[in-house]
């Protein structure tokens, strides 16, 4: 703590003394503070806590959490663990150097971000943002990769429903105003009936207004329900999770083998293989033109394949399925800037230096950079190229054409 203009070491000394009384002797002490701690304070902590000075690590506030690994490495923490625990750390390998360089480039990029991208998250648990922690982090990873600062707007799905208009018109109009101002929309996973109609309304608006859209798990299932209702005209189309009635036109059904009638083991979990059925797919390109991918799943409902032929004839394309050919995994709408939904949860394996391809596609499309990104063959490799907007690409082509004309005149 910092009082009277200087850092105080007494609380740290007292804490260490209490630990020693319990038989715990510290190997290393990490001192958190708002401002950097000077060498005198570090030496004082070392003397009174019986820890060598090099094992007192000072960690003050930084601009973002991504600075912390580099900061700890500079403080000698990696070397300490290597020696104290006798870990086989490859200190000078090319892999380690490349990873360190990547991370430092990431930090530089984060510190210089100015331009924003506005994404609307339409969900059920928006009052508790931690419920979407993985989704939020994945959006941040993709935004950083695109040199953009994420401005995320949380919209409660129930606020978009007609019932809210009747009961609280202000909330209803505020929710739709946020949605309309967004550059892109994401509908993540969830369970239960609350907000289902609001999510379907948001998906319908994204499809009709050509707004970039990404659906995850339940978002994938509701995209199918919305298409069946509003394109095919099946007004009674729904998911059995909501209706609970097997006699209705449920385009989303329960997986029989994952619901045995008893508690426990009712979900399809873990990493599964998804095969691409066609190369005419945005996600196929974003995933690096692979024949198959492996992503993690967490669901107990699936799209009924019996309705797929009618939907595909109407324009909705199911471009990915599981390796058995029984379950549908990816859908896309070709005549749209970016209308993609997946049954799996790609956010679970997204990383700062390797963003999840579906999330990256959403951010690229929302910022007008998707076409140029794919045209240049960059895929989703981190920092392999600069990502430019469509306007910049067109300007560059015009400049190149002008230079070629000048060169031809000079040659003449």
């Amino acid at each position: 703590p910092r009082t009277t203009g200087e850092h105080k070491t007494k609380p740290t000394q007292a804490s260490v003394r209490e630990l020693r009384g319990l038989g715990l002797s510290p190997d290393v002490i990490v001192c958190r503070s708002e401002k950097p701690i000077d060498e005198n304070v570090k030496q004082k902590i070392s003397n009174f806590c019986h820890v060598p000075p090099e094992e007192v690590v000072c960690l003050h506030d930084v601009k973002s959490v991504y600075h912390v690994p580099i900061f700890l490495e500079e403080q000698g923490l990696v070397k300490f663990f290597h020696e104290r625990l006798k870990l086989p750390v490859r200190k000078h390998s090319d892999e380690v150097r490349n990873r360190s360089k990547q991370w430092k480039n990431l930090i530089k990029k984060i510190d210089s971000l100015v331009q924003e991208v506005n994404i609307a998250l339409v969900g059920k648990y928006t009052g508790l943002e931690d419920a979407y922690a993985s989704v939020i982090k994945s959006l941040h990873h993709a935004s950083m990769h695109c040199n953009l600062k994420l401005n995320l707007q949380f919209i409660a799905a129930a606020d978009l429903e007609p019932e809210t208009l009747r009961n609280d018109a202000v909330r209803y109009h505020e929710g739709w105003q946020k949605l309309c101002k967004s550059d892109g929309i994401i509908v993540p996973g969830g369970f239960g009936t609350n907000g289902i109609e609001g999510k379907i309304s948001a998906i319908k608006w994204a499809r009709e207004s050509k707004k970039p859209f990404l659906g995850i798990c339940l978002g994938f299932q509701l995209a199918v329900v919305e298409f069946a209702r509003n394109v095919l005209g099946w007004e009674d189309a729904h998911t059995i999770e909501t209706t609970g009635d097997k006699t209705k036109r449920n385009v989303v059904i329960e997986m029989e083998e994952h619901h045995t009638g008893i508690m426990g083991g009712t979900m399809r979990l873990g990493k599964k293989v998804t095969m691409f059925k066609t190369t005419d797919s945005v996600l196929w390109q974003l995933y690096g033109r692979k024949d198959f991918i492996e992503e993690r799943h967490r669901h107990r409902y699936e799209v009924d394949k019996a309705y797929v032929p009618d939907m595909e004839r109407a324009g909705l394309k199911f471009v990915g399925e599981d390796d058995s050919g029984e379950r549908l995994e990816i859908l896309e709408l070709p005549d749209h800037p970016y209308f993609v939904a997946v049954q799996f949860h790609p956010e679970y394996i997204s990383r700062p230096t390797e963003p999840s391809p579906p999330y990256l596609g959403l951010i690229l499309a929302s910022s007008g950079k998707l076409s140029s990104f794919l045209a240049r063959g960059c895929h989703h490799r981190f920092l392999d190229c600069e990502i430019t907007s469509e306007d910049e690409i067109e300007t560059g082509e015009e400049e190149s054409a002008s230079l070629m004309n000048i060169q031809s005149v000079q040659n003449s």
Side-chain angles (χ1 to χ4, degrees), residues 120-373:
L121 187 153
V122 182
K124 176 182 176 182
Y125 316 108
T126 52
L128 182 64
E129 294 182 10
D130 282 355
Y132 298 111
S134 298
V135 173
I136 295 168
K137 286 296 182 184
S138 297
L139 290 169
H140 276 292
H141 298 164
S143 299
M144 291 184 299
H145 186 86
C146 300
N147 300 317
L148 296 167
K149 186 185 296 183
L150 178 67
N151 179 22
L152 187 59
Q153 295 289 326
F154 291 90
I155 303 173
D159 290 352
L160 305 178
E161 297 176 349
E163 185 177 351
T164 304
L165 175 61
R166 291 190 294 270
N167 299 330
D168 192 340
V170 174
R171 280 180 56 191
Y172 176 83
H173 290 296
E174 285 178 349
W176 276 103
Q177 187 178 45
K178 287 181 182 178
L179 193 72
C180 294
K181 286 184 177 180
S182 66
D183 300 317
I185 300 168
I186 181 169
V187 176
F191 291 98
T193 60
N194 183 40
I196 290 290
E197 294 301 326
K199 293 178 181 179
I200 292 174
S201 296
I203 295 169
K204 179 176 183 288
W205 185 81
R207 179 179 57 80
E208 293 180 342
S209 62
K210 304 293 185 180
K211 186 73 69 174
F213 162 77
L214 174 62
I216 305 294
C217 194
L218 179 61
F220 168 82
Q221 297 165 7
L222 295 183
V224 173
V225 173
E226 188 281 323
F227 191 86
R229 284 186 187 179
N230 301 305
V231 177
L232 293 175
W234 300 344
E235 296 181 2
D236 60 340
H238 221 308
T239 165
I240 198 170
E241 181 180 5
T242 299
T243 63
D245 187 353
K246 294 185 178 181
T247 63
K248 293 187 177 181
R249 197 197 300 258
N250 294 302
V251 294
V252 177
I253 58 175
E254 204 166 25
M255 293 183 291
E256 294 297 335
E257 67 271 34
H258 285 272
H259 185 69
T260 59
I262 58 176
M263 297 297 289
T266 62
M267 298 183 71
R268 182 171 178 246
L269 296 169
K271 188 165 66 172
K272 310 289 183 184
V273 172
T274 296
M275 309 291 296
F276 281 102
K277 296 164 56 179
T278 175
T279 58
D280 185 17
S281 161
V282 173
L283 274 195
W284 177 75
Q285 296 180 70
L286 288 170
Y287 270 106
R289 303 171 186 268
K290 298 177 181 177
D291 293 332
F292 68 91
I293 55 174
E294 292 182 307
E295 292 280 8
R296 287 172 58 186
H297 294 66
R298 188 175 185 271
H299 66 107
R300 62 167 59 95
Y301 299 93
E302 63 179 343
V303 175
D304 191 343
K305 289 195 73 174
Y307 297 105
V308 169
D310 290 330
M311 293 184 184
E312 292 201 321
R313 280 193 293 270
L316 191 65
K317 301 301 180 185
F318 292 90
V319 300
E321 58 185 21
D322 73 339
D323 51 355
S324 69
E326 293 297 319
R327 294 198 167 87
L328 300 164
E329 297 278 359
I330 304 171
L331 69 79
E332 294 180 8
L333 200 59
D335 187 23
H336 195 284
Y338 189 78
F339 191 95
V340 171
V342 296
Q343 181 61 75
F344 46 82
H345 289 267
E347 64 270 15
Y348 289 160
I349 56 175
S350 177
R351 297 293 180 266
T353 56
E354 192 169 350
S356 167
Y359 285 87
L360 179 60
L362 175 65
I363 299 300
L364 286 167
S366 300
S367 55
K369 300 177 179 181
L370 180 60
S371 297
S372 60
F373 183 76

